Coordinates of all heavy atoms in Angstrom, one line a residue:
E194 N -80.9 -161.9 100.3 CA -81.3 -163.0 101.2 C -82.8 -163.3 101.0 O -83.3 -164.3 101.7 CB -81.0 -162.8 102.7 CG -81.7 -161.6 103.3 CD -80.9 -160.3 103.2 OE1 -80.1 -160.1 102.2 OE2 -81.0 -159.4 104.1
N195 N -83.5 -162.5 100.2 CA -84.9 -162.7 100.1 C -85.3 -162.8 98.6 O -86.1 -162.0 98.1 CB -85.6 -161.5 100.8 CG -87.1 -161.6 100.7 OD1 -87.7 -162.6 100.8 ND2 -87.7 -160.4 100.5
P196 N -84.7 -163.7 97.8 CA -84.9 -163.6 96.4 C -86.3 -164.0 95.9 O -86.9 -164.8 96.5 CB -83.8 -164.6 95.9 CG -83.7 -165.6 97.0 CD -83.8 -164.8 98.2
Q197 N -86.7 -163.3 94.9 CA -87.9 -163.7 94.2 C -87.7 -165.0 93.4 O -86.6 -165.2 92.9 CB -88.3 -162.5 93.3 CG -89.6 -162.8 92.5 CD -90.0 -161.6 91.6 OE1 -89.4 -160.5 91.7 NE2 -91.0 -161.8 90.8
T198 N -88.7 -165.8 93.3 CA -88.6 -167.0 92.4 C -89.4 -166.7 91.1 O -90.6 -166.3 91.1 CB -89.3 -168.2 93.2 OG1 -88.5 -168.4 94.3 CG2 -89.2 -169.4 92.3
F199 N -88.7 -167.0 90.0 CA -89.3 -167.0 88.7 C -89.6 -168.4 88.3 O -88.7 -169.2 88.0 CB -88.4 -166.3 87.7 CG -88.0 -164.9 88.0 CD1 -86.7 -164.5 87.9 CD2 -88.9 -163.9 88.2 CE1 -86.3 -163.2 88.2 CE2 -88.6 -162.6 88.5 CZ -87.2 -162.3 88.5
G200 N -90.9 -168.7 88.3 CA -91.3 -170.1 87.9 C -91.3 -170.3 86.4 O -91.8 -169.4 85.7
V201 N -90.8 -171.4 85.9 CA -90.8 -171.7 84.5 C -91.2 -173.1 84.3 O -91.1 -173.9 85.2 CB -89.5 -171.4 83.8 CG1 -89.0 -170.0 84.0 CG2 -88.4 -172.4 84.2
T202 N -91.6 -173.4 83.1 CA -91.9 -174.8 82.7 C -90.9 -175.3 81.6 O -90.6 -174.5 80.8 CB -93.3 -174.9 82.2 OG1 -94.2 -174.4 83.2 CG2 -93.7 -176.3 81.7
E203 N -90.4 -176.5 81.8 CA -89.4 -176.9 80.8 C -89.9 -176.8 79.4 O -91.1 -177.1 79.1 CB -89.1 -178.4 81.1 CG -87.9 -178.9 80.2 CD -87.5 -180.3 80.6 OE1 -88.1 -180.9 81.5 OE2 -86.6 -180.8 79.9
G204 N -89.0 -176.3 78.5 CA -89.4 -176.1 77.1 C -89.9 -174.7 76.8 O -89.9 -174.3 75.6
E205 N -90.2 -173.9 77.8 CA -90.6 -172.6 77.5 C -89.5 -171.6 77.1 O -88.4 -171.8 77.4 CB -91.2 -171.9 78.8 CG -92.6 -172.4 79.1 CD -93.1 -171.7 80.3 OE1 -92.4 -171.2 81.2 OE2 -94.4 -171.6 80.4
R206 N -89.9 -170.6 76.3 CA -89.0 -169.5 76.0 C -89.4 -168.4 77.0 O -90.6 -167.9 76.9 CB -89.1 -169.1 74.6 CG -88.5 -170.1 73.6 CD -88.8 -169.8 72.2 NE -88.4 -168.4 71.8 CZ -87.2 -168.1 71.3 NH1 -86.2 -169.1 71.3 NH2 -86.9 -166.9 71.0
V207 N -88.5 -167.9 77.8 CA -88.8 -166.9 78.8 C -88.1 -165.6 78.5 O -86.9 -165.6 78.3 CB -88.4 -167.5 80.2 CG1 -88.8 -166.5 81.3 CG2 -88.9 -168.8 80.5
R208 N -88.9 -164.6 78.4 CA -88.3 -163.3 78.1 C -88.1 -162.5 79.5 O -89.1 -162.4 80.2 CB -89.3 -162.5 77.3 CG -88.8 -161.1 77.0 CD -89.9 -160.3 76.1 NE -89.4 -159.1 75.6 CZ -90.1 -158.4 74.7 NH1 -91.2 -158.8 74.1 NH2 -89.6 -157.2 74.3
F209 N -86.9 -162.1 79.7 CA -86.6 -161.3 80.8 C -86.4 -159.8 80.4 O -85.7 -159.6 79.4 CB -85.3 -161.8 81.5 CG -85.5 -163.1 82.2 CD1 -85.2 -164.3 81.6 CD2 -86.1 -163.1 83.5 CE1 -85.4 -165.5 82.3 CE2 -86.2 -164.3 84.2 CZ -85.9 -165.5 83.6
R210 N -87.0 -158.9 81.0 CA -86.8 -157.5 80.7 C -86.0 -156.9 81.9 O -86.6 -156.7 82.9 CB -88.2 -156.8 80.6 CG -89.1 -157.3 79.5 CD -90.4 -156.6 79.5 NE -91.4 -157.0 78.5 CZ -91.6 -156.4 77.4 NH1 -90.9 -155.3 77.1 NH2 -92.6 -156.8 76.6
F211 N -84.8 -156.7 81.6 CA -83.9 -156.2 82.7 C -83.8 -154.7 82.6 O -83.5 -154.1 81.5 CB -82.5 -156.7 82.5 CG -82.3 -158.2 82.7 CD1 -82.4 -159.1 81.6 CD2 -82.2 -158.7 84.0 CE1 -82.2 -160.5 81.8 CE2 -82.0 -160.1 84.1 CZ -82.0 -161.0 83.1
V212 N -84.0 -154.0 83.8 CA -83.9 -152.6 83.9 C -82.8 -152.2 84.9 O -82.9 -152.8 86.1 CB -85.3 -152.0 84.3 CG1 -85.2 -150.5 84.5 CG2 -86.4 -152.4 83.4
N213 N -81.9 -151.4 84.6 CA -80.9 -150.9 85.6 C -81.5 -149.6 86.2 O -81.3 -148.6 85.6 CB -79.5 -150.8 85.1 CG -78.5 -150.3 86.2 OD1 -78.9 -149.9 87.2 ND2 -77.3 -150.5 85.9
A214 N -82.1 -149.7 87.3 CA -82.7 -148.5 88.0 C -81.8 -148.0 89.1 O -82.2 -147.2 89.9 CB -84.1 -148.8 88.5
G215 N -80.5 -148.5 89.1 CA -79.6 -148.1 90.1 C -79.2 -146.6 90.0 O -79.5 -146.0 88.9
S216 N -78.6 -146.1 91.0 CA -78.2 -144.6 90.9 C -76.8 -144.5 90.5 O -76.4 -143.4 90.0 CB -78.4 -144.0 92.3 OG -79.7 -144.1 92.8
A217 N -76.0 -145.5 90.7 CA -74.6 -145.3 90.5 C -73.9 -146.6 90.0 O -72.7 -146.6 89.8 CB -73.9 -144.8 91.8

Side-chain angles (χ1 to χ4, degrees):
E194 64 267 32
N195 180 36
Q197 181 177 351
T198 298
F199 299 130
V201 304
T202 301
E203 188 174 359
E205 281 183 334
R206 288 168 60 82
V207 185
R208 178 181 189 170
F209 290 95
R210 296 176 182 265
F211 293 97
V212 177
N213 184 343
S216 301

